[in-house]
Amino acid sequence: MKPIAPSRRRTRQSLAHIFALPLALFAASFAGLVLGLTGEGAPDILAWALLSLPVLVVAVAWRRRGRPSPQRKI
Amino acid sequence: MRRSTIRAWYLVHKWSSIVPTVFLLMLCVTGLPLIFHDEIEALEGVDYETALPGAPSAESGVPLDTMLETALAERPGEVPLFMAFSQESPLLTVTTGPTPDAASEDMTLLFFDRATGESLGPAPGGGVMDFLLQLHTDMFLGQPGMWFLGVMGALFVVALISGTVLYAPFMRRLRFGTLRMDRSRRVGRLDQHNLGGIVILAWALVVGGTGVINAFADPLTDAWREGELAAMTTEHGGAEPVAPADYGSLDAAMAEAHAVLPGRNPQFIAFPGGGWSTARHYAVFFQGDRPLTEHLLTPALIDAESGALVDARAMPALNQALMMSKPLHFGDYGGLPLKALWALLTLATIWVLWTGVLLWWRRSPGEIERRVAEIHGGAEGQLA
């Protein structure tokens, strides 16, 4: 089985690092919400693409979730 | 962040989320089918917006005075309250009531085909969608119910913000997207709660915030009527009431209004004496002419007796915010794919709320101090 990459870091991440992806998602969702209001056609398609990002992120994270493993020693 | 600061934010988050949770779950669960109410209603009955052929009623059709006569003939003894237009089909609706200031329970909504002048009967009502809408907006408790839910929505916004504040110290040593489902159930739930929350944040703030604004819609409209609208009429010679028997021609009023707002389409007309006009004026509400501005309404006040235009002025910023809040809350402005995404994000919200409930429900004594310590120290990641 592939070893799971360590998600613990000894050094603390900066605030900027912690919020980088959340902020990008926030901006993308918000842009999607507002763009959809501005017209039919292309703005709508852009809105769908941007607003589907949060959903995709959750799907990816769920696939990568740490699963209970019977061989874990710790 | 100091431990005492974290403790304070932790308590804010805990209480601002526990109090509204059961109501937020109700709002999410009732909201889910409401997102698709157009589609569901089209399945149940006739969808007039797509079925009727002809020019949109906002642009042309049988004269408005004729339509009004037909409507009043169906409801003898009643007076007109509103007339609303469609931008897509000849569907025209007329709302009547026993008096100009009738309560909404006493109003009757009638459907007409403006292309042919025919009556289509009373608006289809009752049914599951109406029940869900009532439950969602005021839990069948009228104004106080609406305001209560508005307060719950405001607490939701506080919970979202305080949760985001706690996210920072907690995630100091965790990679974004980590879901430690291989540790204890609590840790797995906590990671799901945090990821869900941070990912839906923008959408949840918008839907929650617009929900709060919509809950206070009636007081906002009242404030506009008693402030701006009253000022518009006193500037132009006072507001002695006009009796329904003396109402002048609607078509003439519409022509007057069009003269000052050319190229714009009307969304609805509010008759004298109700919540959206004065005691003596027709208030013709025009939409903006671009997709973004079509949600913003500009009223034109026309003297109901003389037919003279009084004024046409955009509504104050707060009321404009109210008008933009409707599409942003319903998610019905971007076609079916947007509604599908709205539904997925609502499910994600339920997930965040539910994991929150479980985290609180399965707590043990001394929990607060341990949680504060965990956030202060930053969550531990799993080791390879």
Side-chain angles (χ1 to χ4, degrees), chain B residues 11-61:
Chain B
L11 289 170
V12 167
H13 183 70
K14 176 173 171 172
W15 289 105
S16 63
S17 41
I18 286 179
V19 169
T21 281
V22 100
F23 300 100
L24 292 173
L25 281 168
M26 180 277 285
L27 290 168
C28 287
V29 166
T30 52
L32 269 174
L34 283 171
I35 296 170
F36 301 100
H37 82 272
D38 277 338
E39 287 75 15
I40 295 174
E41 279 164 9
L43 287 174
E44 284 178 343
V46 186
D47 182 8
Y48 288 120
E49 287 279 5
T50 43
L52 292 174
S57 57
E59 288 171 22
S60 65

Side-chain angles (χ1 to χ4, degrees), chain A residues 1-47:
Chain A
M1 259 184 80
K2 253 174 61 176
I4 303 164
S7 33
R8 184 194 189 161
R9 312 164 65 92
R10 256 164 302 193
T11 53
R12 291 146 51 149
Q13 302 174 88
S14 66
L15 214 58
H17 204 110
I18 294 170
F19 278 116
L21 276 171
L23 205 57
L25 273 175
F26 189 96
S29 323
F30 196 77
L33 285 173
V34 173
L35 271 174
L37 282 171
T38 59
E40 308 273 312
D44 276 348
I45 299 177
L46 203 49

Side-chain angles (χ1 to χ4, degrees), chain A residues 4 7-10 12-13 15 18-19 21-22 25-26 33 36-39 48 51-52 54 61 65-68, chain B residues 164 168 171-174 176-177 179 181-182 195 198-199 202 206 291-292 295 333-334 337-338 341-342 381-382:
Chain A
I4 303 164
S7 33
R8 184 194 189 161
R9 312 164 65 92
R10 256 164 302 193
R12 291 146 51 149
Q13 302 174 88
L15 214 58
I18 294 170
F19 278 116
L21 276 171
L25 273 175
F26 189 96
L33 285 173
L37 282 171
T38 59
W48 305 336
L51 215 49
S52 58
R65 70 191 186 278
R67 292 158 206 265
Chain B
T164 308
M171 295 296 287
R172 270 204 315 246
R173 292 197 185 87
L174 274 184
F176 175 81
L179 289 173
M181 311 290 289
D182 52 335
L195 179 64
I198 206 74
V199 144
V206 168
L292 189 58
H295 303 289
Y333 58 92
L338 191 72
L341 286 165
W342 223 256
Q382 62 189 41

